[in-house]
Structure formats: structure tokens, C-alpha cells
């Protein structure tokens, strides 16, 4: 019998037209099965899959997260040149990054105001604006 979490994962994949392979379904269930938005790294999702008894390689997790991004199911948020987080919340919103903890959380969108953006180069269109506010404990 399929659990509610697995049903959510299946519907999430179907919405993007992705075939529900065993690996995709197990990772989708971990990402959206409880109905909450989350920020994950490939490594943290791999650890969660392992803890849930889902045999999936780290390479498969990376490839699956890329496929989810390309399908428009998640957004990749780069916090530096070597670390990316994947966000299941798709609306435009800023983030707070706690440097000591390596933790990314949503920031209140109503408190952010971007007054002006630079002119875009000819032939370019704005895709999105990512705002990551870096924090450390005082």
C-alpha cells in the first residue's frame, strides 16, 4: 500500500512529466512527502536516503537533483562556488545562510526590497534574482 508521502512524491514527479523510477520516487518522497518545503544538499539528501534504508548512490542523488531542477521542481541556490542547496519552495524569496552551521533557511520576503537592478546586457533577459544573506553568530 502506497503511503501518503509516496503519493505526494508520485504526484510531484507526474506534475513535471518525470518517470517515477525507484530512485526518483524515493528521493521525491524524502523531499516533498511531508508537504513541507526544505533546503537540502546532495550530501544531506543522500544521508537521509541511507537512513531511510533506500540504496542510492551519491552520484544518483546529484543526477536526480539536476533532473528535478531541469524539470522545474526545485531551485538550486549556490551559497559559494563549491556548495549548493536545493530548495523545494519555488516562489521568489530570499534566504539566510548561517555560515558556522552551513544551514540555509527562508527569510521573510516581505522584509526585502530591491529598489533597482542594473541594466541587462543586450540580448539577455532576467531569469531570477537570488538573495542569500550570510550570517554568523555575534
Amino acid at each position: 500500500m502506497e503511503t501518503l508521502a509516496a503519493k505526494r512524491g508520485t504526484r510531484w514527479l507526474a506534475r513535471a512529466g518525470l518517470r517515477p523510477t525507484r530512485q526518483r520516487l524515493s528521493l521525491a518522497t524524502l523531499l516533498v512527502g511531508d508537504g513541507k518545503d526544505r533546503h537540502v544538499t546532495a550530501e544531506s539528501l543522500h544521508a537521509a536516503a541511507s537512513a531511510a534504508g533506500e540504496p542510492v548512490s551519491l552520484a544518483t542523488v546529484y543526477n536526480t537533483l539536476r533532473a528535478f531542477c531541469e524539470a522545474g521542481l526545485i531551485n538550486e541556490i549556490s551559497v559559494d562556488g563549491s556548495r549548493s542547496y536545493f530548495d523545494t519552495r519555488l516562489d521568489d524569496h530570499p534566504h539566510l545562510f548561517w555560515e558556522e552551521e552551513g544551514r540555509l533557511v527562508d527569510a521573510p520576503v516581505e522584509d526585502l526590497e530591491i529598489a533597482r537592478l542594473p541594466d541587462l546586457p543586450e540580448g539577455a533577459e532576467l531569469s531570477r534574482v537570488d538573495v542569500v544573506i550570510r550570517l554568523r553568530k555575534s
Side-chain angles (χ1 to χ4, degrees):
M1 185 167 141
E2 191 176 40
T3 66
L4 176 59
K7 286 180 184 178
R8 282 188 178 125
T10 301
R11 283 193 308 263
W12 191 66
L13 293 173
R15 188 175 76 216
L18 289 177
R19 190 168 53 90
T21 64
R22 184 187 59 78
Q23 292 98 342
R24 283 180 181 167
L25 184 55
S26 67
L27 296 176
T29 300
L30 289 169
L31 285 170
V32 301
D34 63 1
K36 298 178 183 176
D37 288 312
R38 61 186 23 87
H39 304 92
V40 299
T41 62
E43 292 79 7
S44 70
L45 185 57
H46 179 257
S50 295
E54 297 293 338
V56 61
S57 72
L58 183 57
T60 297
V61 172
Y62 272 105
N63 291 336
T64 303
L65 287 169
R66 295 275 172 242
F68 290 172
C69 282
E70 290 171 9
L73 292 171
I74 59 176
N75 285 322
E76 182 176 8
I77 309 297
S78 180
V79 296
D80 62 37
S82 64
R83 179 180 277 182
S84 288
Y85 287 78
F86 297 88
D87 189 357
T88 59
R89 182 175 160 189
L90 296 177
D91 65 313
D92 289 330
H93 62 282
H95 292 94
L96 301 172
F97 179 67
W98 291 93
E99 292 179 333
E100 289 97 347
E101 301 170 33
R103 186 169 52 101
L104 187 73
V105 297
D106 293 334
V109 69
E110 62 275 2
D111 293 340
L112 178 70
E113 182 179 320
I114 298 175
R116 187 173 182 286
L117 293 172
D119 291 335
L120 301 177
E122 189 171 326
E125 66 178 347
L126 182 65
S127 171
R128 72 178 209 223
V129 175
D130 290 329
V131 176
V132 177
I133 302 162
R134 297 170 180 279
L135 305 171
R136 54 177 89 99
K137 294 187 179 179
S138 56

